[in-house]
Amino acid sequence: LSSVAKEIANGNTDLQATIQTNDEIGDLAISFNEMTAKLRSSFVDLERRAKEVSTISEVSRRLSSVLDKQRLLIEVVEQIKSYLNYYHVHIYLLDKESGNLMMSGGTGKAGQTMLEQKHKINKGRGLVGRAAETGTPVLVPDTSNDANWLPNPLLPETASEVAVPIFSDTEVIGVLDVQNNIPNSLTQRDIELLQSIAYQVSIALKNADAYMEAQNQAERENIINEINQKIQNTSS
């Protein structure tokens, strides 16, 4: 027990004390092993939280430098998939005229195919549609146990899925959707992480829209100046 305690103190938390007696030493070994298991779980939890904070920070940093809307959406999904090792990530933006959710960014071949096909989802349909309609995250830990879950033939390995709405002020403007190929691998913690990222996406989209509007305004003013110059220089 003393030897194992020294190893654990040096950082080797995978060890367990061997229980050989039923007396007080045996009870101590049991308690020691329980404490070690909790310590190991705490380390894993801390590492995950550190990774989550790092991911949010890095996504925010990268998004702040991207002002092209389409490139922005591709950056978002690729970064989330890369940092958090999800099976698939995509973003839908709400089309105000039709009310449909238009696929605007997706990872891998499946994402590229859906973009080319101009894939869309009706508001209220599937996880993505429900998240947009209710304004709340929708989680299906195990897709095989949810009768309302809609499979996608391009993503045959999806076993767990979560859809998180993206807000602009109080209005839903899109949905961030994440899928994993392991049942019950997506949890409330993933929702909280994705909500933080969705907030960053909302800010980045606002910045991209503002930049585009400023560009359009500058272009309009340039055209007006050219017209005025031509009028002033015309004698006939």
Side-chain angles (χ1 to χ4, degrees):
L1 186 60
S2 175
S3 174
V4 171
K6 288 177 182 177
E7 285 292 323
I8 290 172
N10 289 327
N12 188 2
T13 57
D14 292 328
L15 292 179
Q16 291 273 287
T18 302
I19 302 169
Q20 297 177 324
T21 62
N22 294 321
D23 56 12
E24 291 87 346
I25 297 297
D27 292 340
L28 178 60
I30 291 172
S31 298
F32 185 85
N33 286 341
E34 290 174 353
M35 178 198 72
T36 305
K38 289 180 181 178
L39 185 63
R40 188 163 53 245
S41 176
S42 295
F43 282 153
V44 171
D45 188 56
L46 284 171
E47 286 176 357
R48 182 180 173 89
R49 286 185 181 276
K51 187 175 182 181
E52 289 170 355
V53 170
S54 176
T55 298
I56 293 171
S57 175
E58 182 61 19
V59 168
S60 176
R61 186 187 68 79
R62 295 283 293 273
L63 294 187
S64 64
S65 63
V66 180
L67 294 171
D68 178 84
K69 200 168 185 176
Q70 189 55 49
R71 187 183 151 211
L72 168 72
L73 296 171
I74 296 297
E75 284 265 343
V76 170
V77 293
E78 291 294 346
Q79 285 180 48
I80 295 172
K81 184 180 187 300
S82 173
Y83 290 133
L84 299 171
N85 200 30
Y86 290 132
Y87 169 55
H88 182 77
V89 182
H90 49 204
I91 282 181
Y92 290 82
L93 293 183
L94 185 66
D95 180 63
K96 290 185 178 180
E97 290 186 11
S98 66
N100 294 326
L101 290 147
M102 308 302 295
M103 168 83 166
S104 303
T107 55
K109 268 185 153 184
Q112 185 61 40
T113 300
M114 283 188 276
L115 281 171
E116 291 170 357
Q117 294 174 348
K118 299 187 179 192
H119 181 66
K120 62 184 178 182
I121 293 177
N122 295 331
K123 202 172 181 180
R125 189 169 183 266
L127 267 69
V128 171
R130 277 186 275 163
E133 188 173 56
T134 62
T136 57
V138 181
L139 170 66
V140 174
D142 187 344
T143 56
S144 63
N145 294 330
D146 192 301
N148 296 318
W149 180 76
L150 299 176
N152 187 325
L154 294 173
L155 299 165
E157 295 180 42
T158 299
S160 187
E161 184 174 359
V162 60
V164 173
I166 302 170
F167 287 92
S168 177
D169 298 324
T170 58
E171 180 184 10
V172 175
I173 60 170
V175 174
L176 174 59
D177 184 79
V178 166
Q179 301 177 26
N180 245 356
N181 52 1
I182 302 171
N184 300 306
S185 58
L186 296 174
T187 65
Q188 180 62 35
R189 177 173 286 176
D190 292 279
I191 289 178
E192 293 167 2
L193 172 61
L194 294 171
Q195 282 178 315
S196 296
I197 294 175
Y199 175 71
Q200 301 294 335
V201 172
S202 174
I203 294 172
L205 286 172
K206 279 183 180 179
N207 291 341
D209 285 339
Y211 176 74
M212 183 62 69
E213 179 58 32
Q215 275 195 323
N216 291 339
Q217 181 64 27
E219 188 176 338
R220 286 193 295 268
E221 290 176 359
N222 186 51
I223 291 172
I224 291 170
N225 287 335
E226 286 183 3
I227 292 172
N228 286 335
Q229 285 177 7
K230 287 181 179 180
I231 290 172
Q232 291 170 9
N233 295 331
T234 300
S235 58
S236 168

